[in-house]
Amino acid sequence: MHIAIVSPSDKTFISKFLHIYQEEELPNGFSGAPFIGTIIGELLNKNYKVTAITTTVAVENDYSIKSYTCDNFTWIVVPSRPRSMRMNGHKIGRILDLYHYEINQLTKQIKLVKPDFVHAHWSYEFAGSAIKSGFPYLVTIHDNAFQVFRFVKKLFWFLRLVMSEQILKKVKFASTVSPYMLSYAQRKCKMVRIIPNPTVISKEISNIELFIEIKTESLVNPRILMINNSWDSRKNGCNGLLAFQELQKEIPLATLHLFGNGSEENGLANQDADEIGLKNVTFYGPVSHQTLVEEIKQAHILMHPSLEESFGVVFIEAMSFGLPAIGGENSGAVPWVLNDNRLLVDVSDPIKIKDKLFEILTNKILYKEIAKDGYQNVINRFSSEEVVKQYLDYYDYIIANWKNNN
């Protein structure tokens, strides 16, 4: 079977499938979803032919299509207009026509490669192109556009909401990533299955219990991670900073390490930290997925104070390396993903976040239990092999029922 994955994908995790090219030769792509690489890798391991199609911001008015092939994998990159609201030469801002140009270009590429099946991720331009292509497709709904707009009340996100609403009305077969998202998805689409996001279970750590034991012995100077793809009210990073400030009073050697958009040096997170005089914080900003993995392996705990998550891939990636990860008890899908009440906290209260961090970091027995249970949680529910098996079963069902629904 030839499967087209139409979704965000960027060179930092795609380059490993294109080993005949240097990473520097490849365009940037669309960042922010490394689990797409996990799905692609598992499909390739199962000997499927895979074409990944994505967008990248046009550079110097270069709107040419880029295509790269290695063995059974092809990566096609369609340029998108750089500006959302303002003019792009003779082209209007991409959100003003609801990504009409991008959807048409993506659709054209799908039709050219003629896949047996199209799997689109998110309910925006990638889903729109899958529907227009005419091939059997699945749309995975990763977020609730109403919830996103609720926290980020900007015209761009209102128009993304309008776009999502228009597209979801046309979707025949959908999946979504958690029970939290199911009722939203079912209101839009007739056929919906819950299939979670996956992570790779690392083979680098042959003995997870020994790995956790070694990490436990260095809890006196714990490394705390925060990983956010934005710095806004929804991600609630400021409460994380305040919680860490309180924790330093009780664990002076603790350090905080921030990653993601808005967490770069002199970025929004840095400015908020400076306002409260926070010390022992390092700001990394966006980094490659491999760099994040290395940081997760060195860290002692993940603090993720987000107020709403439709899933939370960062949790399963942390737990897959035996890293305890605390999240919000009322933050959408977070309780379902973590599956451990010992990791849940009221993230609207920095003091309660601090208390939870302190409780776990100062109790070696509890720390080891939580780390081992979290690792097993990922093995049982979110391994790439298990998740992709669920997707393949759904692909077969959709193909078998495609003619009856068209």
Side-chain angles (χ1 to χ4, degrees):
M1 186 191 296
H2 178 193
I3 300 166
I5 304 291
V6 190
S7 70
S9 56
D10 72 76
K11 66 180 181 181
T12 65
F13 63 81
I14 287 292
S15 58
K16 64 187 174 185
F17 308 123
L18 297 167
H19 54 82
I20 62 174
Y21 299 92
Q22 295 296 316
E23 187 174 312
E24 297 75 29
E25 298 178 65
L26 304 173
N28 289 331
F30 189 137
S31 65
F35 66 88
I36 296 295
T38 302
I39 294 171
I40 292 169
E42 192 64 37
L43 289 171
L44 291 172
N45 288 340
K46 294 179 181 295
N47 295 316
Y48 288 92
K49 180 180 179 181
V50 179
T51 297
I53 307 175
T54 194
T55 59
T56 195
V57 171
V59 177
E60 296 181 352
N61 212 34
D62 178 7
Y63 283 85
S64 61
I65 306 297
K66 307 292 193 302
S67 181
Y68 308 85
T69 299
C70 182
D71 300 326
N72 227 15
F73 176 69
T74 298
W75 191 41
I76 298 174
V77 183
V78 173
S80 69
R81 291 163 288 180
R83 298 184 184 91
S84 295
M85 308 293 287
R86 293 183 291 136
M87 293 296 294
N88 299 271
H90 297 298
K91 295 179 173 66
I92 65 172
R94 62 181 183 266
I95 193 61
L96 298 180
D97 64 1
L98 305 183
Y99 284 66
H100 179 77
Y101 171 80
E102 288 75 13
I103 289 173
N104 282 345
Q105 294 302 307
L106 288 163
T107 303
K108 182 179 178 181
Q109 294 307 308
I110 297 171
K111 289 182 175 180
L112 285 172
V113 301
K114 298 179 180 177
D116 298 303
F117 193 84
V118 181
H119 188 173
H121 290 263
W122 277 271
S123 55
Y124 308 99
E125 64 270 28
F126 299 116
S129 64
I131 295 165
K132 282 189 72 174
S133 73
F135 293 96
Y137 68 82
L138 167 64
V139 170
T140 294
I141 304 169
H142 287 276
D143 64 14
N144 180 331
F146 285 96
Q147 287 290 349
V148 176
F149 179 63
R150 173 188 160 206
F151 286 101
V152 190
K153 289 185 170 62
K154 294 184 177 180
L155 178 58
F156 173 84
W157 288 107
F158 173 73
L159 293 174
R160 288 287 271 183
L161 167 59
V162 171
M163 182 180 174
S164 176
E165 286 292 288
Q166 290 183 0
I167 288 169
L168 286 176
K169 286 178 183 177
K170 303 173 186 176
V171 173
K172 294 182 173 65
F173 295 97
S175 69
T176 194
V177 291
S178 65
Y180 165 71
M181 286 289 294
L182 185 60
S183 60
Y184 168 76
Q186 285 178 327
R187 288 197 300 271
K188 311 295 179 183
C189 314
K190 289 188 293 186
M191 181 67 193
V192 186
R193 290 187 185 181
I194 298 172
I195 302 177
N197 288 322
T199 192
V200 174
I201 307 302
S202 175
K203 295 177 182 175
E204 298 175 46
I205 303 171
S206 57
N207 187 334
I208 189 67
E209 292 197 6
L210 178 60
F211 184 76
I212 293 169
E213 185 73 40
I214 293 169
K215 189 174 288 194
T216 304
E217 295 308 311
S218 57
L219 285 175
V220 65
N221 54 344
R223 290 172 65 93
I224 301 166
L225 291 191
M226 282 180 64
I227 303 171
N228 296 301
N229 59 18
S230 61
W231 191 262
D232 54 36
S233 60
R234 176 169 168 253
K235 293 302 181 180
N236 194 35
C238 287
N239 273 3
L241 298 180
L242 292 169
F244 178 71
Q245 187 175 51
E246 291 299 317
L247 183 71
Q248 284 185 301
K249 297 173 184 177
E250 301 185 55
I251 310 178
L253 295 178
T255 57
L256 179 62
H257 304 263
L258 272 66
F259 297 85
N261 292 313
S263 295
E264 53 279 309
E265 259 189 82
N266 303 316
L268 295 173
N270 199 160
Q271 294 169 26
D272 287 337
D274 287 346
E275 280 188 19
I276 61 173
L278 195 59
K279 306 296 182 184
N280 294 342
V281 188
T282 306
F283 302 91
Y284 300 84
V287 298
S288 71
H289 183 246
Q290 187 54 45
T291 298
L292 273 183
V293 168
E294 292 304 316
E295 289 293 333
I296 286 171
K297 285 158 64 175
Q298 295 176 46
H300 294 88
I301 198 165
L302 172 75
M303 170 174 54
H304 194 68
S306 176
L307 296 174
E308 193 266 349
E309 291 287 347
S310 58
F311 184 81
V313 172
V314 65
F315 290 118
I316 62 173
E317 292 197 329
M319 291 188 292
S320 73
F321 287 96
L323 183 68
I326 67 169
E329 61 191 10
N330 297 306
S331 299
V334 172
W336 179 77
V337 173
L338 290 177
N339 198 34
D340 188 338
N341 289 335
R342 296 171 297 180
L343 293 167
L344 300 176
V345 65
D346 177 2
V347 292
S348 68
D349 187 337
I351 297 299
K352 290 181 179 177
I353 300 174
K354 181 271 296 182
D355 289 343
K356 181 63 68 175
L357 289 168
F358 184 81
E359 175 189 5
I360 296 171
L361 292 172
T362 57
N363 185 331
K364 289 184 178 182
I365 294 174
L366 177 64
Y367 183 91
K368 285 188 279 190
E369 286 178 355
I370 286 175
K372 291 173 187 176
D373 290 348
Y375 178 79
Q376 198 59 50
N377 179 34
V378 173
I379 293 281
N380 293 341
R381 301 170 68 210
F382 307 116
S383 72
S384 57
E385 185 174 2
E386 173 57 29
V387 170
V388 169
K389 179 182 179 298
Q390 293 178 52
Y391 274 133
L392 289 169
D393 288 344
Y394 201 10
Y395 296 173
D396 289 340
Y397 174 86
I398 293 169
I399 291 170
N401 290 274
W402 182 250
K403 288 183 180 178
N404 296 333
N405 285 270
N406 283 278

